């Protein structure tokens, strides 16, 4: 369907609303491309209210690309700890090392070459920080456009073309943020506020908004795992994790699947361990149910406060410290 709702008329209505209603978010007061990049990377998977604190903490620790490039990966992960999806922090670190001398490029295509930058983040940074006329399509924009034009299953191509057609080329950064803000505050996934929506008169989906777009199928595999809490004189046995999701972080010895407990016991030369409780943790694609066992330990250990722990390991630590102790 064409953008027949009239980009020309829709634009002033949305922009006037945005000027009056935009939330006062810390990254909206800066033109620093690095700070804008950090905010966008955080917002990829962290909600706005939580992102505020992590944003302030990250910029206080690493105020510019140089500071981030020179930090150790472990320090970067420690500052990021709690925000989750640690691959974002590792990618930001690698990105800083790649462009610390030259600064961030302004062109979306060049931004997309950098670690962890997909089409959305490239478009957001290029438009907000550098004023480049490119439409940024995130989940909010996807929902708003699908409803404006009553499209059940919007394709990536349709979304990008429609967003480009509506884009305000004179102020692309503000426009992109206005459309996303509408999705966050008014055209929400559930119970959108069509009655007070500034673009309702251009919207084909009002009144039946929740029908659009159709929900995306999301499958999470249930996985059982076992973790071992070995408490020593100065802390716990912690291992440095590998892999795409938690690589570089530290955590309790953990194994998935059948025989995981026996495998962990034999790795540490133990005959037995007693059950401490169960911890659940969901990643994007799997839900872990972790049976936690504890045993006394007299070998080398780690202070958990001195190592970057994932949220999952934070839950195991909380259980370990709550329990009676081995
Ligand atoms: S009228 Fe309703 S469905 Fe349409 S954009 Fe506004 S809030 Fe979304």
């Amino acid at each position: 369907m064409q953008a027949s709702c009239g980009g020309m008329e829709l634009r002033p209505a949305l922009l006037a609303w945005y000027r009056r209603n935009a939330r006062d978010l810390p990254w909206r007061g800066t033109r620093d491309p690095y700070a804008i990049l950090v905010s966008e990377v955080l917002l990829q998977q962290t909600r706005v209210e939580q992102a505020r604190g992590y944003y302030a903490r990250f910029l206080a620790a690493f105020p510019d690309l140089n500071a981030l490039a020179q930090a150790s990966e472990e320090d970067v992960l420690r500052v990021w700890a709690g925000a989750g999806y640690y691959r974002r922090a590792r990618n930001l670190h690698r990105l800083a090392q790649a462009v610390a001398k030259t600064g961030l490029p302004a062109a979306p295509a060049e931004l997309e070459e950098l670690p962890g930058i997909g089409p959305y983040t490239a478009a957001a940074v290029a438009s907000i920080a550098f004023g480049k006329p490119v439409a940024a399509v995130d989940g909010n924009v996807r929902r708003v456009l699908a409803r404006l034009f009553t499209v059940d299953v919007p394709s990536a191509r349709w979304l990008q073309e429609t967003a480009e057609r509506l884009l305000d080329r004179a102020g692309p950064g503000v426009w992109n943020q206005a459309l996303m803000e509408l999705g966050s505050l008014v055209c929400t996934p559930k119970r959108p506020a069509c009655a007070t929506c500034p673009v309702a008169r251009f919207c084909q989906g009002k009144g039946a908004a929740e029908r659009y777009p159709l929900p995306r199928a999301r499958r999470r595999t249930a996985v059982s795992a076992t973790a071992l809490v070995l408490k020593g004189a100065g802390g716990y046995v912690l291992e440095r994790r590998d892999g795409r999701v938690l690589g570089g972080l530290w955590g309790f010895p953990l194994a998935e699947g059948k025989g995981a407990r026996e495998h962990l016991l034999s790795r540490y030369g133990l005959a037995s361990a007693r059950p401490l409780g169960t911890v659940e943790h969901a990643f994007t694609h799997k839900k872990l149910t972790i049976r936690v066992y504890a045993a006394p330990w007299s070998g080398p250990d780690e202070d958990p406060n001195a190592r970057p722990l994932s949220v999952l390991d934070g839950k195991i630590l909380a259980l370990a410290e709550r329990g009676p102790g081995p």
Side-chain angles (χ1 to χ4, degrees), residues 258-325:
K258 272 191 180 165
R261 181 168 168 270
E262 289 63 36
H263 169 71
L264 289 174
L265 289 176
S266 99
R267 194 194 301 170
Y268 285 94
L270 299 168
S272 65
R274 65 181 181 75
L276 200 59
T278 301
V279 162
E280 301 214 318
H281 189 75
F283 292 101
T284 315
H285 297 298
K286 69 179 174 185
K287 186 171 177 210
L288 275 182
T289 301
I290 306 151
R291 291 214 178 78
V292 183
Y293 292 85
W297 180 251
S298 55
D301 55 25
E302 303 277 347
D303 173 359
N305 296 314
R307 296 292 188 191
L309 292 188
S310 68
V311 174
L312 154 66
D313 287 290
K315 290 180 185 173
I316 299 174
L317 178 63
L319 175 66
E321 309 235 302
R322 239 187 2 250

Side-chain angles (χ1 to χ4, degrees), residues 144 147-148 182 186-188 192-194 197-200 203-207 209:
V144 171
R147 289 172 175 177
L148 278 172
L182 185 75
V186 178
C187 194
T188 47
C194 297
C197 175
V199 298
C203 181
Q204 296 166 25
K206 71 168 178 274

Side-chain angles (χ1 to χ4, degrees), residues 198-245:
V199 298
R201 68 184 186 281
F202 310 107
C203 181
Q204 296 166 25
K206 71 168 178 274
E210 287 186 58
R211 271 198 235 152
Y212 306 97
L214 290 176
R216 285 190 268 214
R218 193 178 202 196
R219 283 193 209 106
R220 259 195 195 132
T221 321
V223 176
S224 342
T226 299
L228 209 48
V229 169
L230 302 176
K231 185 166 189 186
Y236 297 90
V237 170
L238 298 176
E239 300 178 337
R240 192 170 191 279
R241 299 225 189 280
D242 294 323
R244 209 166 54 83
V245 180

Side-chain angles (χ1 to χ4, degrees), residues 16-181:
W17 170 85
Y18 183 65
R19 276 193 293 276
R20 286 194 306 274
N21 295 283
R23 286 169 293 180
D24 183 18
L25 302 174
W27 44 86
R28 287 191 173 149
T30 180
R31 294 301 305 248
D32 175 7
Y34 166 71
I36 290 167
L37 172 70
V38 170
S39 73
E40 288 297 338
V41 170
L42 266 168
L43 292 168
Q44 286 169 358
Q45 272 122 347
T46 303
R47 283 206 297 272
V48 166
E49 284 316 311
Q50 291 165 324
R52 283 174 187 268
Y54 292 117
Y55 172 82
R57 193 165 91 184
F58 198 84
L59 286 187
F62 314 115
D64 52 38
L65 281 169
N66 265 314
L68 181 57
Q70 282 161 22
S72 69
E73 185 182 89
E74 204 162 312
D75 279 344
V76 175
L77 292 173
R78 190 181 299 121
V79 171
W80 194 268
Y85 298 94
Y86 294 89
R87 193 145 67 107
R88 295 180 295 172
R90 289 192 295 271
N91 279 334
L92 261 180
H93 190 213
R94 283 172 47 222
L95 178 154
Q97 289 169 337
V99 299
K101 289 208 172 66
T102 55
L104 275 173
E110 287 176 46
L111 284 162
E112 266 195 70
E113 301 271 301
L114 298 171
I117 309 276
Y120 163 75
T121 307
V125 172
S127 62
I128 298 169
F130 298 109
K132 298 284 175 196
V134 54
V137 179
D138 73 345
N140 283 314
V141 171
R142 177 179 184 271
R143 185 171 58 257
V144 171
L145 295 183
R147 289 172 175 177
L148 278 172
F149 301 104
T150 54
V151 176
D152 296 344
V153 185
S155 69
R157 186 170 168 188
W158 178 85
L159 283 167
Q160 197 62 41
E161 286 175 0
T162 306
E164 297 290 348
R165 244 187 346 255
L166 290 178
L167 181 70
D168 176 10
R169 289 172 186 273
V174 170
W175 173 259
N176 281 332
Q177 292 180 84
L179 208 52
M180 290 189 265
E181 196 78 335

